[in-house]
Amino acid sequence: MTHSAGPPTGGRRRPDLRHWLRPQSSRMLVLGICMAVSGFAGGVRWAVDGGGIWKALGMLSVGILGVLIVVSYFVNYDDR
């Protein structure tokens, strides 16, 4: 049995990495907000309690990553 448009092309299509790197759902927005709040609050808490500078910087970097996710969500939302 053949298709009316012809047989399907051989090989695999390559996935578009730009599609995977763009946060497109509201779940990613909520995740970014949670990461930003918990990262900054945790980083400040570790710094105040004297838990170590590396753990505080690690938590602050999670907060920065959360902010980047939120900003990229709204930039992508503007493009849609």
Side-chain angles (χ1 to χ4, degrees):
M1 179 175 187
T2 61
H3 296 100
S4 61
T9 59
R12 254 180 86 189
R13 289 180 44 196
R14 296 185 65 140
D16 188 14
L17 292 178
R18 290 176 291 161
H19 174 74
W20 289 102
L21 294 176
R22 292 182 188 169
Q24 297 181 354
S25 68
S26 60
R27 293 178 184 173
M28 285 297 289
L29 176 66
V30 171
L31 177 69
I33 291 171
C34 290
M35 285 175 64
V37 170
S38 64
F40 289 132
V44 169
R45 177 71 185 238
W46 273 100
V48 169
D49 287 345
I53 189 69
W54 293 112
K55 290 183 181 180
L57 288 176
M59 291 299 290
L60 288 173
S61 65
V62 169
I64 291 170
L65 181 63
V67 168
L68 290 176
I69 289 174
V70 170
V71 168
S72 64
Y73 175 82
F74 285 112
V75 168
N76 187 31
Y77 185 77
D78 188 40
D79 288 342
R80 282 191 263 167

